[in-house]
Amino acid sequence: MTTGRVNPTQTLETQGISGLGNVYYNLIEPDLIQHALCRDEGTLGLGGTLLVSTGKYTGRSPNDKHVVRTKSVEDKIWWENNRAMSPEGFDRLYEDMTAHMQGRDYFVQDLYGGADPQYRLDVRVVTELAWHSLFIRHMLRRPDREELDDFVPEFTIINSPSFKADPKRHDCRSDTVIAMNFDRKLILIGGTEYGGENKKSVFTLLNYILPQKGIMAMHCSANHAPGNPVDTAVFFGLSGTGKTTLSADPERVLIGDDEHGWSDRGTFNFEGGCYAKTINLSREAEPEIYDTTTKFGTVIENMVFDPETKELDFDDDSLTANMRCAYPLHYISNASSTGIGGHPKNIIMLTCDAFGVLPPIARLTPAQAMYHFLSGFTAKVAGTERGVTEPTPTFSTCFGAPFMPLRPEVYGELLREKIATHGATCWLVNTGWTGGAYGTGSRMPIKATRALLSAALDGSLEDAEFRKDKNFGFEVPTRVKASAVPDILLDPRRTWDNPEAYDRQAAKLVAMFAENFAQYESNIDADVRAAAIG
């Protein structure tokens, strides 16, 4: 049986997938929640939320993500970062997965990846779980109902968690698989219930397609000044650096919290929703995100809750520290209705430096921006993982290496070209430690970070006096007028009790940057190679 609204020329059967049980096309939120509850996929929570567990996998499985190695992509893919799968292995995987699907019910959502109609990707997502259909309906952008009558998918994602891959037969690593075939315009996901695999598969697609059209694909949040989309800012940053928190400024309009494109027309959100971490979430610190956890249709992943009252425990990470909620963007009151902004006026690169070396803010040249973009630095701290006894550097190129199918230099060059063309000012912002490394110093005051960001975004920081940092060569303000930021905080060496110990730590961090960056030196210009020299 087939139900729901769909282009009659674009059913799964016309795509060659037949013999399924019930197929539900483009169901809306109440129907999907009803199906999920009837199928015992989750629990109805406060306000009509859906409480789900993802089972064995509570996060992405990057080591099980594969790109099919065909002639058309052979010379484009960054193979050091992307596992290859043979076309023959993929063909067997598709044959076996579609055979496994026989007689089972599936849910289909026809959606857009990208708010700009000129550059969006029309994506069909086929899921075995009703809650996955609800999840991706939040995450991507929904066509109007009448647009579904003519919808033609460019790419199709099939997600069947109950299917287990065979590594030998399917040329993959384990019984969990995410396989991307750019020639066949298919992505197959099996063996994992984690919702984020659906979302990041689309992001990876856009990271492959858009740069080849001259469009920068960015793992970043973005906002703009009220009534002035021309005053747009983007925030790059790895997990834990404050990307979502700092972009959710009540004084600015939120374009999006995670994935964006930068075209010759400006900035646009890839998504239609947010996928926010909920560990230690509080109404006091992030009231709007907190309130989404009791709004109808929000999908709440892997959170402990009271079985009687359904109250959530935001501090209990016994299931995972990666507990999350997925909700439509319009649940945030200051969210953009269009998902579109202007060319970035300011580019913020966020890092959490647990070594206590980097200043709270620094201004970057275009070459330095490319250097720090390719470096993608943040740090793990002692106690977060077994065996970590001192700050450990993490370098994730372009602030999102797991989602980058092309060489990092492709994204870096695009960023530098767009900065040069549109005159964006670039800032490096450290939300980590000051006065010493983790365990000795203290976390950068959030009020100071917000004050410095405000000064950068409103242009007043441009009028400050700057010094050249002797370790990294970027410019650091020496004083910020009309700000509560103390001058001493702007010079991290002065915040340490032992300046010589700071110098040793700084030299150590500079060497770590240089060692990591050596992998890119043969493919980039000399000015970028020299960008970190103080």
Side-chain angles (χ1 to χ4, degrees), residues 10 24 41 53 89 100 126 178 236 249 295 312 381 420 456 510:
Q10 297 295 321
Y24 303 97
E41 293 179 5
S53 168
H100 173 83
V126 183
I178 302 97
F236 290 101
D249 184 340
K295 289 189 175 182
L312 302 171
V381 298
V510 168

Side-chain angles (χ1 to χ4, degrees), residues 27-48:
L27 298 185
I28 64 173
E29 291 78 359
D31 291 331
L32 290 170
I33 291 174
Q34 186 175 25
H35 277 285
L37 295 174
C38 289
R39 292 157 56 94
D40 199 28
E41 293 179 5
T43 301
L44 190 66
L46 296 175

Side-chain angles (χ1 to χ4, degrees), residues 299-348:
V299 177
I300 297 175
E301 273 187 354
N302 299 319
M303 286 195 69
V304 175
F305 61 91
D306 187 295
E308 294 183 6
T309 67
K310 304 301 185 291
E311 291 184 0
L312 302 171
D313 190 334
F314 294 91
D315 301 317
D316 189 338
D317 62 356
S318 57
L319 294 178
T320 178
N322 191 37
M323 57 181 78
R324 290 179 179 264
C325 63
Y327 52 87
L329 195 62
H330 67 260
Y331 279 3
I332 302 299
S333 63
N334 66 327
S336 166
S337 60
T338 66
I340 295 175
H343 295 292
K345 183 178 178 182
N346 287 279
I347 295 173
I348 315 297

Side-chain angles (χ1 to χ4, degrees), residues 111-116 119-121 123 136 138-142 199-200 202-211 215-220 222 255-263 266-273 329 338-340:
L111 301 162
Y112 298 141
D116 188 332
Y119 300 117
R120 73 189 180 200
L121 183 71
V123 183
I136 201 63
H138 289 334
M139 286 296 100
L140 296 184
R141 303 190 69 86
R142 295 170 291 283
K199 160 188 159 77
K200 289 305 185 186
V202 178
F203 185 42
T204 305
L205 271 180
L206 292 167
N207 276 323
Y208 175 77
I209 294 169
L210 294 182
I215 300 165
M216 180 66 188
M218 304 179 291
H219 188 211
C220 70
I255 302 173
D257 81 326
D258 197 41
E259 303 171 5
H260 294 81
W262 185 358
S263 73
T267 307
F268 62 100
N269 192 355
F270 289 164
E271 301 185 298
L329 195 62
T338 66
I340 295 175

Side-chain angles (χ1 to χ4, degrees), residues 271-503:
E271 301 185 298
C274 299
Y275 191 33
K277 286 188 175 181
T278 55
I279 187 168
N280 303 133
L281 185 66
S282 70
R283 177 171 277 122
E284 294 72 26
E286 297 181 273
E288 295 220 70
I289 297 176
Y290 184 92
D291 286 345
T292 67
T293 62
T294 54
K295 289 189 175 182
F296 182 80
T298 294
V299 177
I300 297 175
E301 273 187 354
N302 299 319
M303 286 195 69
V304 175
F305 61 91
D306 187 295
E308 294 183 6
T309 67
K310 304 301 185 291
E311 291 184 0
L312 302 171
D313 190 334
F314 294 91
D315 301 317
D316 189 338
D317 62 356
S318 57
L319 294 178
T320 178
N322 191 37
M323 57 181 78
R324 290 179 179 264
C325 63
Y327 52 87
L329 195 62
H330 67 260
Y331 279 3
I332 302 299
S333 63
N334 66 327
S336 166
S337 60
T338 66
I340 295 175
H343 295 292
K345 183 178 178 182
N346 287 279
I347 295 173
I348 315 297
M349 297 184 186
L350 299 167
T351 181
C352 178
D353 174 23
F355 296 88
V357 170
L358 296 176
I361 195 166
R363 186 168 59 189
L364 306 176
T365 66
Q368 288 168 341
M370 184 174 175
Y371 179 91
H372 285 278
F373 180 69
L374 289 175
S375 296
F377 167 73
T378 192
K380 297 176 183 177
V381 298
T384 58
E385 293 182 8
R386 182 183 298 176
V388 178
T389 58
E390 61 180 29
T392 303
T394 298
F395 294 95
S396 184
T397 189
C398 308
F399 297 97
F403 323 118
M404 303 298 166
L406 305 176
R407 286 285 313 174
E409 296 87 349
V410 173
Y411 306 101
E413 285 293 348
L414 261 176
L415 181 66
R416 185 161 71 157
E417 288 171 12
K418 292 193 175 294
I419 290 171
T421 300
H422 301 289
T425 302
C426 299
W427 307 91
L428 182 69
V429 173
N430 174 26
T431 61
W433 271 256
T434 186
Y438 173 84
T440 303
S442 57
R443 193 73 188 258
M444 198 72 68
I446 186 66
K447 288 184 178 180
T449 300
R450 288 192 181 279
L452 290 168
L453 272 177
S454 295
L457 298 183
D458 67 20
S460 61
L461 193 56
E462 291 282 358
D463 298 328
E465 292 184 3
F466 287 81
R467 64 175 177 85
K468 183 177 179 180
D469 183 85
K470 71 174 185 178
N471 297 303
F472 287 94
F474 43 51
E475 293 183 314
V476 181
T478 58
R479 176 172 296 180
V480 181
K481 296 178 181 179
S483 170
V485 180
D487 294 352
I488 190 174
L489 194 67
L490 297 168
D491 186 351
R493 189 174 189 269
R494 291 174 57 198
T495 67
W496 283 52
D497 291 337
N498 185 339
E500 289 73 23
Y502 169 86
D503 293 339

Side-chain angles (χ1 to χ4, degrees), residues 51-69:
L51 311 174
V52 299
S53 168
T54 62
K56 178 181 178 181
Y57 294 103
T58 58
R60 290 179 297 101
S61 301
N63 292 329
D64 294 307
K65 187 174 181 180
H66 302 260
V67 174
V68 179
R69 195 165 197 153

